[in-house]
Amino acid sequence: MISDLKIALSNLRTARWRSFLTMLGIIVGIASVVTVFSLGEGLKRQLLGQIDELGTDLITVRPGKLVSRGDSGQVDSLNPLALLGTTTLSEQDVIALQRSSSLQAVLPMSLITNTARSSNEPNREINDAFIIGTTAELPQLIKHRIPYGEFFTAEQQDRNYAVIGSSVAARLFNELNPVGQSVNLAGGDFVVRGVFEPFSSGIFSTIGADLNNALFVPYDVAKKVTQGRSQIFQILVQKKPGVGLESAVASTHGVLLVTHQGREDFSVLKQEELLDISSGIINLAAGFISAVAAISLLVGGVGIMNVLLAGVSERTREIGIRKAIGATNRQILQQYLMEGVVLSFVGSLVGLGVALAANFLLRVYTSLKPVISPSIILVAVGVAFAIGVIFSAAPAFKAARKDPIDALRNV
Amino acid sequence: MAVIELKDVSKLYGFGNATTLALDEINLTIESSEFMAVMGPSGSGKTTLMNLIGLLDKPTNGSYTLDGRYVSRLRPNQQAKLRRDRIGFVFQSYNLLPRLNVLENVALPLAYRGVTPMRRLQKASDTLERVGMRDREYFMPRNLSGGEGQRAAIARALINSPSIIIADEPTGNLDSGSSKVVMELLADIHRQGNTILLVTHNPELTRYANRVIYMVDGVIVNDEKTAIGQVARGTRRTYYQKPRMSDDEIAEGVSVLMREAPSIALKAKAKGRRRRKLSKRKYRQ
């Protein structure tokens, strides 16, 4: 076994270029699968951290039936298409919820995407800005600090005020504290009232987008921009102290069922469930990308098979000699299997190295925080091992079955 | 005691019209500690016979008994194990693995036996000492001279202490000096009780053998015991007493041995005549 390993390694060394090219498919495959999964894992951890920040007493109401629940109310399955539908939430829902005795704060959030421009320097603009119409309770509900300026108050609901995310501040005004300057949104000028502290997770779980790129304006003003139609994409609800979370969820659900005339075209979600949904979507995406990357692994495996087959013909005489001095078919088989496994194993190690480097670069140059978990390493190495065995089986059998006399005659 | 016993062993290659008879009902008994030289023209079946005896091949017909054990129908793996433990091969072109150094090459048969690396290298080193190659242990095969390469190959053949050494033209690629060294080595191994089968074209080398057989067209046409140190009689007659080749024959590519299978060639002719008679008789009936 150990001598097989030594032989395999020395074969690798003598044909360095060929070995490297053979391993390339495995390297690319392993590197991309590991990177994609580590990105997904990183996102999930960020979401988890966010929920710790937000606290668990926050309830989110979303339009559409996002999840199916089992008998005991746990989330069974996820329906990501519901995220794409138009909103079914209305101001009636907000008003009805505000009357509920078990809830402390009810906060509608409406969403407009638009171009934001600095009023003084119109050439500075953000095309992918999104404008969130909301009410004064937001900072307190999501427990987020405003280091510069302040959030608009309940009395300022009709003013053209905007509180902006940190990257909006940087991109439009190129400074940390642009409070008092004005920003042009959807044809109107808004005074910057405050700047949010950077949101730790680039992508906020409840929206699925970067809140640092958002401008928060009063809900009523946002409604005016959209010609009086509200586009509520979610309602944040906070339970009263002393009320159990489950009962708050139940009463929210009950109230909404009444305003929607018994149709369950909305979802009432606890923070953990939101996390489940987000990680479900992340897993879906990661799984899909990985499936594509897995094709590279397959191609890598075929490459290994090809090179080993060529090696078998090339080393026919060597096989003959080994058999003449007493190698059994099984020992020849082992030697070639080992060679394939070493190729794919070393390939997977290099691939892991590449993934680590990619991780490092992503952490340095982007706001993403990918995490390589031990399980993904194990899976990657295991898959590479399996590929090595599977794809070197055919060449190994071919080598083992060679007739020693024919093999010796081969020059 | 008979080590090797072949009874009516035939070997056919190919099929249909392209069938060639490489061995034709060979009967051969080789005693323990014989040094047998096998001679004959190219294509006479010498190598096929050695491959059969060395368990690299199976006879088409007939039985082969090695050390009293019937081995002609063994499975490939059992053959491999017998080959490993009982038989050492020495080839014309040494057949050392180019990527392993001399020590590793010599130790290789032990690896297939499952001996631990340390022991294997130790034993390989001892065996190399025996063939006078201790100082070449870490050379790569390409850096060895022909004689050294063949001595390393002999060390590899010896390492499992096999009872039979099969040497297929071991001096074919060597100059006379190296040939002598290699042959003395084989003679030395023979003196220690091994059975040695030597295929050769060189009549001088029959001096080392105590039995010489001649093969023509898959048949053993002559089998003689000879004293060690003397060229066998049949060979002597063929090479030194029979008239040399005519120029025409050389132009046709006919070798002495092809034309002149010693003594028994006449018997074979007689046999052929008898066969023809037999077939004629059959035809008449």
Side-chain angles (χ1 to χ4, degrees), chain B residues 1-5 29-33 64-68 86 163-164 195:
Chain B
M1 196 193 86
V3 186
I4 293 163
E5 232 183 317
T29 305
I30 300 169
E31 302 294 325
S32 161
S33 74
Y64 171 19
T65 319
L66 176 66
D67 282 333
R86 305 298 320 275
S163 52
I164 303 163
T195 309

Side-chain angles (χ1 to χ4, degrees), chain A residues 2-4 6-7 10-11 14 314-315 317-332 335 403-405 408-409, chain B residues 13 51 56-57 76-77 80-81 83-84 87 89 91 93 95-100 104-105 108-109 111-114 117 120 156 160:
Chain A
I2 292 163
S3 62
D4 284 341
K6 265 182 80 178
I7 292 164
S10 84
N11 283 341
T14 42
E314 210 172 78
R315 284 187 274 157
R317 193 178 179 81
E318 180 186 321
I319 295 168
I321 298 169
R322 286 177 184 275
K323 285 198 162 183
I325 61 174
T328 60
N329 288 358
R330 198 190 156 143
Q331 284 161 329
I332 300 284
Q335 184 198 329
D403 180 19
I405 296 178
L408 275 173
R409 211 173 283 149
Chain B
Y13 285 118
N51 286 342
L56 283 171
D57 208 349
N77 274 353
K81 278 176 192 153
R83 214 152 55 215
R84 184 187 71 197
I87 296 161
F89 279 97
F91 301 94
S93 47
N95 279 345
L96 297 169
L97 297 188
R99 273 195 286 260
L100 303 182
E104 288 163 337
N105 259 299
L108 200 55
Y112 289 125
R113 217 174 171 176
R120 201 150 84 212
R156 184 178 66 186
N160 268 329

Side-chain angles (χ1 to χ4, degrees), chain A residues 74-347:
Chain A
Q74 83 284 6
V75 174
D76 266 356
S77 65
L78 176 67
N79 175 21
L81 276 181
L83 289 171
L84 303 175
T86 49
T87 180
T88 54
L89 299 176
S90 63
E91 276 175 51
Q92 276 83 6
D93 297 330
V94 179
I95 293 162
L97 284 173
Q98 276 164 345
R99 292 204 195 107
S100 167
S101 57
S102 55
L103 305 177
Q104 188 175 32
V106 177
L107 180 136
M109 291 174 91
S110 63
L111 181 70
I112 315 160
T113 51
N114 209 317
T115 303
R117 267 194 199 85
S118 163
S119 299
N120 297 333
E121 294 175 74
N123 55 338
R124 279 179 176 273
E125 58 174 35
I126 305 177
N127 285 317
D128 57 346
F130 44 97
I131 301 150
I132 295 175
T134 186
T135 55
E137 292 97 338
L138 181 75
Q140 169 240 325
L141 233 68
I142 64 172
K143 298 185 179 114
H144 210 77
R145 246 164 44 82
I146 298 178
Y148 308 110
E150 57 187 7
F151 210 73
F152 42 82
T153 62
E155 291 77 42
Q156 295 164 340
Q157 272 299 321
D158 52 350
R159 306 269 183 86
N160 276 6
Y161 281 165
V163 176
I164 60 178
S166 56
S167 51
V168 175
R171 285 165 75 183
L172 281 188
F173 305 105
N174 200 20
E175 53 183 295
L176 282 174
N177 181 7
V179 173
Q181 303 205 43
S182 104
V183 55
N184 188 288
L185 285 177
D189 281 335
F190 287 71
V191 176
V192 176
R193 192 76 182 135
V195 181
F196 267 115
E197 196 173 46
F199 290 91
S200 62
S201 61
I203 295 168
F204 188 54
S205 64
T206 48
I207 299 178
D210 190 358
L211 275 195
N212 293 321
N213 235 354
L215 298 99
F216 297 86
V217 300
Y219 177 76
D220 293 341
V221 176
K223 211 167 79 178
K224 257 184 254 164
V225 172
T226 51
Q227 281 85 35
R229 247 176 304 144
S230 62
Q231 290 286 336
I232 300 179
F233 77 92
Q234 76 176 10
I235 303 172
L236 288 181
V237 178
Q238 193 178 31
K239 69 180 177 67
K240 274 196 178 136
V243 178
L245 184 64
E246 293 302 330
S247 69
V249 168
S251 74
T252 307
H253 191 259
V255 168
L256 289 175
L257 215 51
V258 172
T259 55
H260 285 242
Q261 282 131 20
R263 283 191 309 272
E264 201 174 337
D265 53 1
F266 57 87
S267 310
V268 179
L269 300 164
K270 291 175 276 190
Q271 287 298 317
E272 302 95 72
E273 291 171 345
L274 267 180
L275 178 71
D276 284 350
I277 291 172
S278 306
S279 27
I281 292 167
I282 290 167
N283 283 345
L284 204 69
F288 184 75
I289 300 171
S290 300
V292 175
I295 293 173
S296 157
L297 282 180
L298 207 68
V299 173
V302 173
I304 288 182
M305 182 153 78
N306 192 13
V307 163
L308 285 185
L309 275 177
V312 169
S313 327
E314 210 172 78
R315 284 187 274 157
T316 300
R317 193 178 179 81
E318 180 186 321
I319 295 168
I321 298 169
R322 286 177 184 275
K323 285 198 162 183
I325 61 174
T328 60
N329 288 358
R330 198 190 156 143
Q331 284 161 329
I332 300 284
L333 183 82
Q334 270 176 4
Q335 184 198 329
Y336 275 86
L337 274 184
M338 182 60 95
E339 217 160 281
V341 168
V342 164
L343 266 175
S344 63
F345 189 75
V346 173

Side-chain angles (χ1 to χ4, degrees), chain B residues 128 131-133 145-156 181-182 185:
Chain B
L128 279 171
V131 300
M133 290 271 295
S145 73
E148 288 169 340
Q150 198 57 288
R151 271 146 75 197
I154 290 173
R156 184 178 66 186
V181 172
V182 165
L185 190 56

